Amino acid sequence: MTRIAVIGAGAAGISAARTLRAAGVEVVVYEARDRAGGRVWTDTSMAPHPVELGAEFVHGERVATWDWIREFDAPTTGAAHAYEMWFHHDGHLLDREAANVAFGTDPLFAIERLTRHWTRAGRPEASLDRVLELWPETSQRPLTEEGRKLIANYVAELAASDLEQLGTHRAATPQAEEPERLINFRLLDGYSSLIARAVAGLEIKYETPVARLRWDDGSVEVSTRSGLERFDRAIVTLPLGVLRRETVEFEPALPRPKREAIERINAGHISKVVLRFDEVYWPQDMTFLWTPQSTQLWWRPGQGQQAEAPVVTAFFGGSAAAALEDATPEEAIAEATQQLEQILGRPLRPHLLGGRYIAWGREPHTWMGYSSLPPGGSGLRESLAAPVGVLHFAGEATSLQHAATVHGAIESGKRAALEVLAARPPASP
């Protein structure tokens, strides 16, 4: 009987294991943490509703995550996420219409438009900061330094990397659709609740980090502190940040194209600070609030819940997140609170009831937020996703169409599982 190891119990590993188990294959999942989900992690202590420390949204109405949502009848928000955009610009809170006037264009989609303009003009591939040279051609107003920072923050929070680290060969963001056409859903019971249902029945060895994968043409040996186990094949779903640290030894070493992909794909930085207050001090209809500060984006994690608590999340991406990673939780919470005071123009510290800070770039067994492609990065994801002998690879960084998303990870796990099934020898007559 075919026996497969899956390394990692994030969305990709769970998807791979479920696909294989449905095909009657014996699967063992190895997970270094004491929980499943990877970069999915829901806090249930801060509010009467879930607060997401990791993945937050279901991006759209037709993505692969809905297969699990429907299977487990998981309730979601819907129209609650009609987009009410706010901006902190030039010392004022602006709604979207006012921001469009202030910028002379829609600031949220300026980069996408400028990038299309760049490529249609036949210009060579470059980093995304170069496309801002075209601003005078697309806006009636000059781009101020503060305006540039707000636009750069918009990209950094979506891509987890800065303009200078991203290429013009494709859209900078993992979700290029405009909000009017893209509905973001939340899971009312939290993402971790969905994960708990998805792993039911799987054999998962928690708190069992893999130290070495020794492989040859016919099998793979998984080495952990508990000993050695041999399998026919393995699906590796480790985050790019873990692969880059080489905490798992591959013997023999992975081929050069694979190593190059691991080194060159951006392993972006993401951090979150969640604050709970005694009452609401921000615009009641706020869905997202973009700023030029290091707290690049604010939102209400309880939006769409029946009993929403006065809680807001500050989201940091790229270098802003990296700069905060050495901060203590107390320091990060204080910085976010101070910046929110500046944005709202009122003292808030006396009204703060609690906070939570997570830096994914410092989380063991992750060491990153999510991935993006650098200039000249075409083909890197294909190299990362390509099988190597009996080793197969999955995870959001291997997704060619939906990287940096939960649904991209789910799709990649299913793709790797189907590769394994296709490689099985035919059954004996």
Side-chain angles (χ1 to χ4, degrees), residues 100-346:
N100 290 354
V101 172
F103 279 84
T105 186
D106 187 335
L108 296 187
F109 297 97
I111 284 292
E112 283 79 359
R113 284 195 293 272
L114 291 171
T115 300
R116 287 195 294 268
H117 193 75
W118 181 281
T119 55
R120 287 170 183 167
R123 296 185 180 226
E125 184 181 345
S127 58
L128 278 180
D129 60 319
R130 292 283 309 280
V131 307
L132 291 177
E133 299 170 7
L134 304 179
W135 184 271
E137 301 177 26
T138 61
S139 175
Q140 299 175 348
R141 292 181 178 272
L143 182 62
T144 65
E145 184 59 33
E146 184 183 48
R148 186 189 189 283
K149 182 62 177 173
L150 190 148
I151 290 171
N153 281 354
Y154 166 74
V155 173
E157 62 88 11
L158 282 175
S161 295
D162 295 341
L163 289 170
E164 296 81 2
Q165 299 169 298
L166 302 163
T168 57
H169 55 85
R170 59 174 297 170
T173 67
Q175 44 188 20
E177 277 192 275
E178 296 193 13
E180 288 77 9
R181 300 199 307 270
L182 175 65
I183 298 175
N184 279 330
F185 298 84
R186 279 193 177 92
L187 291 150
L188 290 178
D189 295 333
Y191 246 122
S192 289
S193 175
L194 184 69
I195 293 294
R197 298 180 188 183
V199 300
L202 296 179
E203 182 181 350
I204 303 179
K205 297 190 175 186
Y206 292 108
E207 297 183 274
T208 309
V210 172
R212 184 178 65 247
L213 293 173
R214 178 180 291 148
W215 57 282
D216 54 32
D217 291 338
S219 66
V220 56
E221 182 184 81
V222 178
S223 175
T224 70
R225 61 171 175 258
S226 300
L228 306 175
E229 284 195 77
R230 188 169 294 277
F231 297 85
D232 296 286
R233 291 178 177 269
I235 298 177
V236 180
T237 73
L238 298 171
L240 187 66
V242 173
L243 290 172
R244 187 171 292 178
R245 283 178 169 252
E246 299 182 344
T247 53
V248 177
E249 178 187 359
F250 290 87
E251 185 181 333
L254 296 174
R256 182 173 179 179
K258 182 78 68 179
R259 298 199 307 271
E260 181 181 2
I262 291 169
E263 289 301 318
R264 290 191 56 203
I265 297 174
N266 295 325
H269 297 260
I270 288 295
S271 297
K272 285 183 175 182
V273 174
V274 185
L275 304 176
R276 177 162 183 172
F277 293 92
D278 55 5
E279 60 180 274
V280 173
Y281 296 98
W282 42 90
Q284 294 276 352
D285 65 349
M286 180 190 81
T287 301
F288 295 120
L289 168 61
W290 276 274
T291 86
Q293 287 100 330
S294 61
T295 52
Q296 299 160 341
L297 176 62
W298 293 85
W299 62 56
R300 294 154 44 207
Q303 185 177 9
Q305 297 282 352
Q306 286 189 346
E308 180 180 354
V311 178
V312 283
T313 295
F315 191 93
F316 304 71
S319 58
L324 194 66
E325 285 176 351
D326 290 332
T328 65
E330 294 77 15
E331 290 168 341
I333 290 167
E335 179 173 338
T337 304
Q338 181 181 23
Q339 291 194 23
L340 189 59
E341 288 178 326
Q342 294 171 354
I343 292 167
L344 299 178
R346 62 173 301 159

Side-chain angles (χ1 to χ4, degrees), residues 344-356:
L344 299 178
R346 62 173 301 159
L348 293 174
R349 275 165 285 188
H351 305 284
L352 182 67
L353 300 181
R356 182 84 188 264

